[in-house]
Amino acid sequence: MRLKNVPGSKEYIAESDFVIHDEKEQKGRLLEYFSNDNPIHIEIGMGKGQFIYEMAKNNPFINYIGIEKYSSVLIRAIQKMEAEPLANLMFIRMDAEDIVDVFCEKEVDRIYLNFSDPWPKDRHAKRRLESRQFLERYKKILKEDGVIEFKTDNNELFEFALEEVKEANWQLLACTRDLHADAELSEGNVMTEYEAKFSAQGNPINKYIIKY
Ligand code: SAM
C-alpha cells in the first residue's frame, strides 16, 4: 500500500476510544473492551478497515479487532467509526510480528488476512503474513477449531502461501483461484477495499481457508 503521511495521525490515534492502547499490557483483558464473552475475530493488515467494519456491522455477536501497522491508514478506519460507531469493533496499531504478546493462547476464533503485502524479494519471505513463521505465531493464539481466511489477487503470493500451509502441516479446508466465480465460497463474501479495486480491473481473487 502506498502510504501518504497524515500529519497528526499518531496523536489522533493516541486519543481515540476506538483503539486498544498499550496493547501488550492489556493481554488477557481484551474482552473487557466489549463487555461480553463473544468470539474474537481479527483482521491483520486491515488498511482503512472497509472489510472489518462491514463484517462487524453484519455480525453484532462477534467481537472484531482490526490490526494495522501504520497510523496514516488506521486513522481512516477510526474516522469511519466516529461517523457510525459499532460496539463490537476495536483497533490496535501494531506490527503483527508481536501478535503473541497481545493475544493469549487460544483466544482467537478466526484470523482474516486480506491482500497482504507481497514482499516479493526471497530474503523478505518471513515478513509475509502467510509465512511459516507467522503461521507458528497464529497457531499459538488460535483456538483448536479456529481458522485463517486469506484472500489475494497476487498469484505468486498465493502459491507461496499454499506451500507454507503444506510445510507447516496445516489443513487446507477450502481453496479457490477465482472466488467470485465460486458459488459456495463467494456466498456472503464481503469485499475488501483492495478486492473491489483489483477485481474491477479483471483480476481473479484467490482464497484459502486453513486450520492447524
Ligand atoms: N486488507 C486491506 C484490503 O484488503 O483492502 C488492506 C490491504 S494493504 C495491501 C495491506 C495492509 O497491511 C497495509 O495497510 C499494511 O500497512 C498492513 N500491514 C502489512 N504488514 C503488516 C504487519 N506486519 N502488521 C500489521 N499490519 C501490516
Side-chain angles (χ1 to χ4, degrees):
M1 177 177 276
R2 262 204 11 247
L3 279 178
K4 214 164 67 191
N5 182 40
V6 178
S9 56
K10 274 206 176 107
E11 295 75 10
Y12 196 93
I13 287 166
E15 295 293 314
S16 175
D17 290 339
F18 299 121
V19 176
I20 297 171
H21 304 284
D22 303 319
E23 59 281 353
K24 290 183 187 172
E25 285 155 41
Q26 305 309 319
K27 186 172 176 174
R29 289 203 291 264
L30 294 179
L31 276 176
E32 288 175 19
Y33 286 85
F34 300 99
S35 311
N36 62 49
D37 56 2
N38 292 339
I40 297 179
H41 292 189
I42 67 179
E43 184 188 8
I44 301 180
M46 63 154 192
K48 296 178 197 154
Q50 176 175 314
F51 169 83
I52 199 163
Y53 184 88
E54 196 174 334
M55 291 296 286
K57 203 170 175 179
N58 294 348
N59 302 284
F61 299 110
I62 293 171
N63 297 321
Y64 289 88
I65 300 180
I67 291 169
E68 171 54 50
K69 191 164 159 183
Y70 293 108
S71 311
S72 302
V73 193
L74 174 56
I75 192 171
R76 302 298 173 216
I78 293 172
Q79 286 166 340
K80 202 178 301 181
M81 278 281 271
E82 283 168 354
E84 197 184 336
L86 300 174
N88 61 330
L89 175 59
M90 293 293 294
F91 304 119
I92 303 179
R93 197 203 60 75
M94 64 175 281
D95 189 319
E97 270 187 22
D98 298 331
I99 200 106
V100 297
D101 300 327
V102 175
F103 293 89
C104 296
E105 267 189 44
K106 308 202 185 310
E107 187 173 29
V108 175
D109 288 79
R110 189 171 303 185
I111 299 175
Y112 292 103
L113 304 170
N114 291 318
F115 296 78
S116 312
D117 293 337
W119 292 103
K121 291 187 181 136
D122 283 347
R123 68 190 157 87
H124 290 149
K126 65 173 188 292
R127 295 188 193 172
R128 298 175 193 145
L129 294 177
E130 297 72 26
S131 66
R132 63 195 75 179
Q133 290 84 356
F134 270 99
L135 290 179
E136 200 54 44
R137 296 177 180 118
Y138 303 148
K139 191 173 180 177
K140 293 195 175 116
I141 64 166
L142 263 183
K143 295 215 165 113
E144 259 152 47
D145 56 352
V147 296
I148 300 179
E149 299 198 11
F150 168 48
K151 296 194 277 191
T152 182
D153 70 321
N154 185 313
N155 295 328
E156 289 77 29
L157 179 62
F158 195 64
E159 290 313 320
F160 167 83
L162 288 174
E163 277 300 312
E164 295 298 272
V165 169
K166 221 187 294 167
E167 276 298 322
N169 236 346
W170 284 51
Q171 301 170 51
L172 190 61
L173 302 180
C175 180
T176 176
R177 313 285 172 147
D178 191 354
L179 174 62
H180 299 171
D182 186 314
E184 203 176 319
L185 282 180
S186 67
E187 205 188 318
N189 182 52
V190 167
M191 288 231 232
T192 80
E193 181 189 352
Y194 272 59
E195 183 174 357
K197 184 164 117 190
F198 291 124
S199 60
Q201 291 171 13
N203 298 4
I205 308 300
N206 304 285
K207 175 171 181 170
Y208 76 40
I209 304 176
I210 59 171
K211 76 186 280 286
Y212 61 81

